[in-house]
């Protein structure tokens, strides 16, 4: 459970912060499916080594001191989980370096509507052909949704519960979800 929570946090963070991922050089959904079995059942030490190697394998990047545009950004992303999750020093350092990564002006996975500034997630693949998706696709949908709220929902501060606690609460619900029968009403 802890590995799945941490993977969801890191996967979303890399999606929006790693320059090579944000630039669209990876099919990020499929990267989740590649890394998921590697951390399944791994100890915390093994998990951190696997995740650190994964991040290093995404390519190098330059850093620059990043400051928020306080005119347009009212709430800075909550990245305290990086230092509060008990990750190895190597993994924490890699994640903290990404905070100041020099990213492309446009993110492949999120754009913003002109004159409005609302996020546009048009490049997110919907996987509509999946009548009842397997556990991997259900986790993918949870990770996508949770990270969109984490990084782009302007009213996150008004959610009545700690958003960081929502992810571990819903992982087992999504992973173990059973298909409900479709009730057909008479015409």
């Amino acid at each position: 459970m802890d590995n799945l929570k941490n993977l969801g946090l890191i996967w979303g963070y890399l999606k929006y912060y790693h320059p090579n991922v944000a630039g669209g050089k990876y099919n990020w959904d499929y990267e989740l499916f590649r890394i998921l079995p590697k951390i399944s059942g791994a100890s915390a030490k093994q998990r951190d080594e696997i995740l650190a190697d994964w991040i290093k394998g995404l390519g190098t990047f330059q850093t620059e001191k990043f400051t928020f545009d306080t005119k347009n950004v009212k709430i800075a992303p909550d990245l305290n989980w990086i230092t509060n999750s008990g990750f190895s020093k190597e993994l924490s350092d890699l994640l903290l370096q990404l905070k100041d990564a020099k990213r492309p002006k446009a993110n492949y996975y999120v754009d913003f509507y002109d004159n409005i500034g609302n996020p546009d997630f048009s490049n997110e693949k919907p996987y509509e052909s999946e009548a009842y998706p397997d556990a991997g696709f259900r986790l993918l949908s949870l990770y996508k949704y949770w990270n969109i709220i984490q990084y782009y929902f302007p009213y996150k501060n008004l959610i009545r519960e700690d958003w960081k606690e929502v992810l571990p609460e819903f992982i087992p619900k999504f992973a173990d979800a059973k298909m409900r029968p479709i009730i057909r009403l008479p015409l």
Side-chain angles (χ1 to χ4, degrees), residues 3-13 32 143 146-147 167:
N3 285 356
L4 291 176
K5 177 194 81 170
N6 289 321
L7 179 59
L9 292 169
I10 291 171
W11 178 85
Y13 178 68
L32 175 66
Y143 289 169
W146 189 89
N147 280 289
L167 184 61

Side-chain angles (χ1 to χ4, degrees), residues 17 27 41 46 48 67 89 114 118 120 141 150 157 175 177 180:
Y17 279 78
N27 181 325
Q46 292 168 327
D48 289 3
T67 55
K89 179 170 177 15
D114 292 336
N118 291 346
D120 172 15
S141 68
Q150 172 73 357
N157 62 318
R180 303 208 188 268

Side-chain angles (χ1 to χ4, degrees), residues 8 17 20 28 34 49 73 104 112 132 137 142 147 149 180:
Y17 279 78
N20 295 331
W28 204 237
R34 287 184 188 102
E49 290 171 359
V73 176
F112 295 92
Y132 179 67
F137 278 100
L142 174 62
N147 280 289
I149 300 299
R180 303 208 188 268

